Amino acid sequence: MNIATRSCAEPARAHLLRRTAAEFIGTGLLVTIVVGSGIAAQRLSPDDVGLQLLENSLTTALGLTVLILMLGPVSGAHFNPVVSIADWLLGRRAGTGLSLRDLAPYVLAQVVGGITGTLLAGVMFYTAPAFSSNDRANTGHMVGEAVATAGLVLLIFALARTGKGSATAAAVGAYIGAAYWFTSSTSFANPAVTIARMFTDTFAGIAPAAVAPFIAAQLVGAAIGLVLLLGLYPTAPHTAGDVVVPQQLENQL
């Protein structure tokens, strides 16, 4: 490798490292918010499950909005493997969006970050890591996960395709907060978050046996969301690779 090639490759690696670090931090903090607020809600409102869910969903919606605004300019604030996969698929023909080279590091950072977030929440609330006993796997929950994920994917990329990416942080936060309530599964809609929540036997936990069915339903939902997107916006250019900021700005960072 000559000096010119090396100098070009090194900034590219540094750029990818910075972006994957943002995905690790963002997904980790998202799971910390979900699990931590679930533990707090369980302790503060021990006799009212509805109030626990309200506290958990409101905190998650607000926290997710903040994380997207904070880290979106660095990595696009995917924090979700299905969003990264969808971004790669949509950008293949146009050469935009997430590259195949970056897809695996993004997904790995999201999964590891999510698990780290669960452990961090446990440390803060003096809760030891443990596999969850909350078995959520049933037909209604699988349908709920498919619906939640389809809506999330459609929302994110519809906004990106119509040039309204600046509204994504608020829109995604609002959607997830609402989906906690209108889906039977309480809207995990994220394989990395699903895996991470397996390691806490608290309000937000999910039993290991339910993880694979949940992820399968999320992948089905993501596919449905993409089909709906292409049907509703067949000629719109793909401008994502980001969730929040224009691709041009993300590339400058």
Side-chain angles (χ1 to χ4, degrees), residues 95-136:
T96 59
L98 197 66
S99 69
L100 181 60
R101 179 201 66 182
D102 295 350
L103 180 60
Y106 258 56
V107 172
L108 179 62
Q110 290 157 0
V111 172
V112 176
I115 295 171
T116 303
T118 297
L119 299 178
L120 176 59
V123 169
M124 290 194 294
F125 286 92
Y126 297 96
T127 302
F131 285 121
S132 176
S133 58
N134 191 355
D135 187 3
R136 299 174 183 261

Side-chain angles (χ1 to χ4, degrees), residues 170-197:
V172 170
Y175 176 81
I176 291 298
Y180 258 82
W181 290 90
F182 77 76
T183 65
S184 57
S185 63
T186 67
S187 182
F188 285 48
N190 186 328
V193 170
T194 303
I195 292 170
R197 290 170 66 168

